[in-house]
């Protein structure tokens, strides 16, 4: 991959991972409710998902999933239901006082991994990255040696930033009415993402 191609890819990835979505909402929520070291477990889960999707994209599996109307439809409904559930639950719990949590690391990790995996933005983004930036005449794994470290570094910085934002909101609004509405807005975002996911069409199809 040339330096020019790498620069374009890096800029694309910055926009991709800094555009707020379910992962960002989850990181902000973790930052509000958990200690910072414990919230970093959620970022680790996102990086796990990113690594998996990068490898699957290189192997063409995500393209195969997107090309299967039945498989995509089932995944879409499951993902939509999960996001809506998170949103409704978050709205109901918003009035409860914020307490720095001590959730098991496994729970935080699996929860963040589930949110990242069913995120429709992930499939679209990885397909776009590989359809636009991978050069057909160059061995794929040589390109992956450049793409993977770049993508994971930018992804980590982005979601660490969202987690820090959540921690800052918690400190600024702990126990205040404002805090309740911040949490409700985040909960509403999950519901909105779930509805949009459920109403979306299979990529490449009307």
């Amino acid at each position: 991959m040339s330096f020019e191609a790498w620069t374009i890819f890096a800029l694309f990835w910055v926009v991709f991972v800094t555009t707020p979505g379910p992962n960002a909402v989850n990181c902000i929520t973790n930052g509000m409710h958990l200690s910072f070291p414990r919230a970093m477990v959620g970022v680790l889960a996102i990086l796990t998902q990113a690594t998996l999707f990068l490898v699957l994209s290189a192997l063409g599996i995500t393209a195969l999933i997107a090309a299967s109307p039945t498989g995509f439809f089932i995944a879409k409904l499951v993902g939509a239901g999960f996001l809506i559930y998170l949103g409704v639950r978050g709205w109901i719990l918003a009035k409860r006082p914020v307490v720095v949590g001590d959730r098991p690391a496994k729970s935080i990790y699996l929860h963040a991994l589930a949110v990242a995996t069913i995120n429709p933005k992930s499939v679209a983004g990885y397909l776009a990255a590989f359809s636009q930036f991978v050069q057909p005449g160059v061995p794929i794994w040589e390109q992956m040696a450049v793409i993977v470290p770049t993508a994971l570094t930018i992804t980590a910085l982005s979601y660490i930033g969202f987690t820090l934002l959540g921690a800052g909101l918690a400190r600024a609004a702990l126990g205040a009415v404002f805090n309740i509405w911040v949490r409700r807005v985040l909960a509403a975002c999950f519901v909105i993402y779930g509805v949009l996911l459920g109403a979306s069409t299979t990529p490449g199809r009307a």
Side-chain angles (χ1 to χ4, degrees), residues 83-151:
L83 289 177
I84 292 172
Y85 162 76
L86 291 178
V88 172
R89 181 175 181 272
W91 185 279
I92 293 172
L93 298 178
K95 286 188 176 181
R96 294 187 181 181
V98 176
V99 178
V100 176
D102 192 27
R103 287 166 52 199
K106 180 179 179 181
S107 173
I108 298 168
Y109 180 87
L110 293 177
H111 177 89
L113 184 63
V115 171
T117 301
I118 56 85
N119 182 1
K121 174 184 166 186
S122 293
V123 175
Y126 288 100
L127 288 177
F130 277 79
S131 64
Q132 298 298 318
F133 299 106
V134 171
Q135 301 170 359
V138 180
I140 184 64
W141 298 112
E142 289 184 13
Q143 299 179 71
M144 289 289 286
V146 177
I147 289 174
V148 171
T150 301

Side-chain angles (χ1 to χ4, degrees), residues 42-110:
V43 176
L44 177 62
I46 294 173
L47 293 176
T48 302
Q49 178 267 345
T51 302
L52 177 63
F53 269 47
L54 284 166
V55 173
L56 292 179
S57 295
L59 297 175
I61 294 179
T62 52
L64 178 62
I65 292 174
S68 171
T70 302
F72 183 81
F73 179 73
I74 294 173
K76 180 180 68 173
L77 291 183
V78 172
F82 182 68
L83 289 177
I84 292 172
Y85 162 76
L86 291 178
V88 172
R89 181 175 181 272
W91 185 279
I92 293 172
L93 298 178
K95 286 188 176 181
R96 294 187 181 181
V98 176
V99 178
V100 176
D102 192 27
R103 287 166 52 199
K106 180 179 179 181
S107 173
I108 298 168
Y109 180 87
L110 293 177

